[in-house]
Amino acid sequence: MLNTGYMEKLDRDLLGEGMLSGEPYTLVEDLSDMGSRFGGTESEREAVEYLLQKMRSYGFDNVHKEPFTYTGWRRGTASLAATHPVTQEYDVISLPHCGSFSVEGELHYMGLGTPAEWESQQDNLEGKIIIVDAKSPHWIGRGIHRLEKYGRAVLAGAAGFIWMRDQGGFLVETGGLRPGAEIPGIAISREEGMHLIRLAKSSGDGSVHVRIETENMVEEMTSWNVVGDIPGEEMGDRVVIIGAHFDGHDIAPGSMDDASGAAVAMESGRLLARHRGRLARTIRIICFPVEEIGLIGSRRYVQAHQGELNRIDFMLNLDGAGRSGEKAVMLQAWPELLPVFKEISGDMRWPFVTDTAFGMSSDMYPFSYMGIPSGRLADISGVKTGRNWGHTIADTLDKVSSLDLRSDSTLVARIMARVANWDNWPADHKTTDEILNIIERAGLGEVLHYSNKKLT
Ligand SMILES: [Zn+2]
């Protein structure tokens, strides 16, 4: 039940202040100019201090950084050469977590890498170097993540893994493998990948042989979650979280993935901090590092706060917020919250879709794995089968719209003000077994198995 006494006044301020604010664009601009903010870089450290300083200037309480260590990765060199039927070099990059390897083998084109394709060819993959399309076909009914395709390649005994972008433009698409990556993983553009595959036509025996060489650094690193609160009043010991990762991949400024999402989290917090004293629950803003190589910041956050997770009523993740497109509140599970968000949407006079769809590829996942009611702000316009500019060198500031940033920041602030002030929040925490059950029922059991997604 929503206590609406103050909401009309709050809405007018959030919309007026939010839609006139240049602050979220400034954040994206500043974060982009620093560099990638990839784990272990100087720009990451600079971003941490910058976000702390911004949180203080917005009037957040309890502003601090929480250090943790993890197995990080630094890019070195990568090469790919065809050795049969011709000798030819291709432009490639290593995928994060790929260490140092030198392998040779016969190329095997795995197409889109759907479960059926792997099953039909699994006896024929030992020692092969697999090239697979990055596309996640819409007819499968669930996304097929890079981690799943890589995990299947490892289990099939493949010697190497080549990730071919599904969209043209000579861009290579990066993306993390997993710590201790067992076989080399590299990325190639659509154009060069298709050229390589086509060499089979001129080969007498129909085979193409390739050599992959990579040299990268795997080392222990320190990073920091950046945290600030807008303290609640009547239910101040209850917490709702607005979170987003602020790191990008090392090859780009990561302006859309995810400087934009971090800017929307920060700006919605700034707007809400103008109303401290009127919010029942504490609103916590968390900017997560090292999301791109395994949701490491958010995983470490839930590990470090085991004893107090029961105080968290809701976590909203903003990966990719601030882009154009129709927005939905996509809950991880907890259908009992659908009427809550429908009522919130009605009260806001701002129609948005609410549904449940479990996701495992961004920072809400560690929270939902721990049973915490959670969801994400999702873009539901169109059928999404690829990443567009994300994870390429083209994820740059020129793609970012100041208006979309302002629109999403006010949307998130208005939604989360209502969540923070909701009487009798109906969603309970779940046990890990219940969550594993939900994952199975969502048809994601294979993802859990092949992608190393079980958290400890
Ligand atoms: Zn992201």
Side-chain angles (χ1 to χ4, degrees), residues 245 257-258 291-292 319-320 323 362 391:
H245 74 91
D257 184 12
D258 189 35
E291 186 269 354
E292 292 292 7
D319 198 351
R323 304 179 197 169
S362 189
H391 290 204

PDB file of all heavy atoms in Angstrom, residues 245 257-258 291-292 319-320 323 362 391, ligand 1:
ATOM      1  N   HIS A 245      26.934  -0.854 -12.654  1.00  0.00           N
ATOM      2  CA  HIS A 245      28.398  -0.962 -12.735  1.00  0.00           C
ATOM      3  C   HIS A 245      28.971   0.250 -13.462  1.00  0.00           C
ATOM      4  O   HIS A 245      28.326   0.792 -14.363  1.00  0.00           O
ATOM      5  CB  HIS A 245      28.831  -2.281 -13.365  1.00  0.00           C
ATOM      6  CG  HIS A 245      28.657  -2.438 -14.847  1.00  0.00           C
ATOM      7  ND1 HIS A 245      29.634  -2.097 -15.746  1.00  0.00           N
ATOM      8  CD2 HIS A 245      27.631  -2.930 -15.601  1.00  0.00           C
ATOM      9  CE1 HIS A 245      29.237  -2.386 -16.977  1.00  0.00           C
ATOM     10  NE2 HIS A 245      28.013  -2.884 -16.921  1.00  0.00           N
ATOM     11  N   ASP A 257      27.810   1.340 -21.847  1.00  0.00           N
ATOM     12  CA  ASP A 257      27.914   0.155 -20.978  1.00  0.00           C
ATOM     13  C   ASP A 257      29.192   0.284 -20.159  1.00  0.00           C
ATOM     14  O   ASP A 257      30.236  -0.152 -20.585  1.00  0.00           O
ATOM     15  CB  ASP A 257      27.913  -1.100 -21.849  1.00  0.00           C
ATOM     16  CG  ASP A 257      27.919  -2.383 -21.030  1.00  0.00           C
ATOM     17  OD1 ASP A 257      27.702  -2.307 -19.809  1.00  0.00           O
ATOM     18  OD2 ASP A 257      28.145  -3.453 -21.605  1.00  0.00           O
ATOM     19  N   ASP A 258      29.156   0.908 -18.960  1.00  0.00           N
ATOM     20  CA  ASP A 258      27.899   1.325 -18.380  1.00  0.00           C
ATOM     21  C   ASP A 258      28.070   2.667 -17.652  1.00  0.00           C
ATOM     22  O   ASP A 258      27.519   2.854 -16.575  1.00  0.00           O
ATOM     23  CB  ASP A 258      27.388   0.243 -17.422  1.00  0.00           C
ATOM     24  CG  ASP A 258      25.976   0.512 -16.938  1.00  0.00           C
ATOM     25  OD1 ASP A 258      25.174   1.038 -17.716  1.00  0.00           O
ATOM     26  OD2 ASP A 258      25.701   0.241 -15.768  1.00  0.00           O
ATOM     27  N   GLU A 291      32.303  -5.433 -13.266  1.00  0.00           N
ATOM     28  CA  GLU A 291      31.155  -6.242 -13.675  1.00  0.00           C
ATOM     29  C   GLU A 291      31.501  -7.028 -14.930  1.00  0.00           C
ATOM     30  O   GLU A 291      31.095  -8.173 -15.109  1.00  0.00           O
ATOM     31  CB  GLU A 291      29.953  -5.316 -13.946  1.00  0.00           C
ATOM     32  CG  GLU A 291      28.639  -6.053 -14.238  1.00  0.00           C
ATOM     33  CD  GLU A 291      28.395  -6.337 -15.713  1.00  0.00           C
ATOM     34  OE1 GLU A 291      29.171  -5.879 -16.584  1.00  0.00           O
ATOM     35  OE2 GLU A 291      27.425  -7.042 -16.012  1.00  0.00           O
ATOM     36  N   GLU A 292      32.270  -6.383 -15.805  1.00  0.00           N
ATOM     37  CA  GLU A 292      32.458  -6.924 -17.157  1.00  0.00           C
ATOM     38  C   GLU A 292      33.234  -8.238 -17.192  1.00  0.00           C
ATOM     39  O   GLU A 292      33.175  -8.941 -18.186  1.00  0.00           O
ATOM     40  CB  GLU A 292      33.156  -5.886 -18.047  1.00  0.00           C
ATOM     41  CG  GLU A 292      32.301  -4.651 -18.349  1.00  0.00           C
ATOM     42  CD  GLU A 292      31.102  -4.948 -19.244  1.00  0.00           C
ATOM     43  OE1 GLU A 292      30.853  -6.130 -19.531  1.00  0.00           O
ATOM     44  OE2 GLU A 292      30.427  -3.988 -19.645  1.00  0.00           O
ATOM     45  N   ASP A 319      21.940  -1.653 -15.490  1.00  0.00           N
ATOM     46  CA  ASP A 319      22.924  -1.881 -16.547  1.00  0.00           C
ATOM     47  C   ASP A 319      22.306  -1.465 -17.879  1.00  0.00           C
ATOM     48  O   ASP A 319      21.308  -2.036 -18.299  1.00  0.00           O
ATOM     49  CB  ASP A 319      23.312  -3.362 -16.570  1.00  0.00           C
ATOM     50  CG  ASP A 319      24.605  -3.607 -17.307  1.00  0.00           C
ATOM     51  OD1 ASP A 319      25.123  -2.676 -17.949  1.00  0.00           O
ATOM     52  OD2 ASP A 319      25.099  -4.745 -17.233  1.00  0.00           O
ATOM     53  N   GLY A 320      22.909  -0.474 -18.520  1.00  0.00           N
ATOM     54  CA  GLY A 320      22.378  -0.033 -19.813  1.00  0.00           C
ATOM     55  C   GLY A 320      21.268   0.999 -19.708  1.00  0.00           C
ATOM     56  O   GLY A 320      20.670   1.371 -20.724  1.00  0.00           O
ATOM     57  N   ARG A 323      19.808   4.747 -22.101  1.00  0.00           N
ATOM     58  CA  ARG A 323      19.737   4.661 -23.560  1.00  0.00           C
ATOM     59  C   ARG A 323      18.289   4.878 -23.977  1.00  0.00           C
ATOM     60  O   ARG A 323      17.382   4.772 -23.175  1.00  0.00           O
ATOM     61  CB  ARG A 323      20.177   3.276 -24.037  1.00  0.00           C
ATOM     62  CG  ARG A 323      21.553   2.876 -23.560  1.00  0.00           C
ATOM     63  CD  ARG A 323      21.880   1.471 -24.076  1.00  0.00           C
ATOM     64  NE  ARG A 323      22.992   0.895 -23.336  1.00  0.00           N
ATOM     65  CZ  ARG A 323      23.357  -0.387 -23.430  1.00  0.00           C
ATOM     66  NH1 ARG A 323      22.696  -1.197 -24.214  1.00  0.00           N
ATOM     67  NH2 ARG A 323      24.375  -0.844 -22.737  1.00  0.00           N
ATOM     68  N   SER A 362      24.057  -9.763 -15.190  1.00  0.00           N
ATOM     69  CA  SER A 362      24.446  -8.452 -14.671  1.00  0.00           C
ATOM     70  C   SER A 362      24.289  -8.426 -13.151  1.00  0.00           C
ATOM     71  O   SER A 362      23.982  -9.453 -12.540  1.00  0.00           O
ATOM     72  CB  SER A 362      23.649  -7.335 -15.344  1.00  0.00           C
ATOM     73  OG  SER A 362      24.190  -6.075 -14.967  1.00  0.00           O
ATOM     74  N   HIS A 391      30.552  -3.412 -25.938  1.00  0.00           N
ATOM     75  CA  HIS A 391      31.713  -4.325 -25.942  1.00  0.00           C
ATOM     76  C   HIS A 391      32.614  -4.131 -27.158  1.00  0.00           C
ATOM     77  O   HIS A 391      33.411  -5.000 -27.482  1.00  0.00           O
ATOM     78  CB  HIS A 391      31.279  -5.788 -25.843  1.00  0.00           C
ATOM     79  CG  HIS A 391      30.705  -6.158 -24.496  1.00  0.00           C
ATOM     80  ND1 HIS A 391      30.702  -7.438 -24.019  1.00  0.00           N
ATOM     81  CD2 HIS A 391      30.136  -5.403 -23.533  1.00  0.00           C
ATOM     82  CE1 HIS A 391      30.144  -7.454 -22.817  1.00  0.00           C
ATOM     83  NE2 HIS A 391      29.794  -6.226 -22.505  1.00  0.00           N
TER      84      HIS A 391
HETATM   85 ZN    ZN B   1      26.941  -3.640 -18.606  1.00  0.00          ZN
END
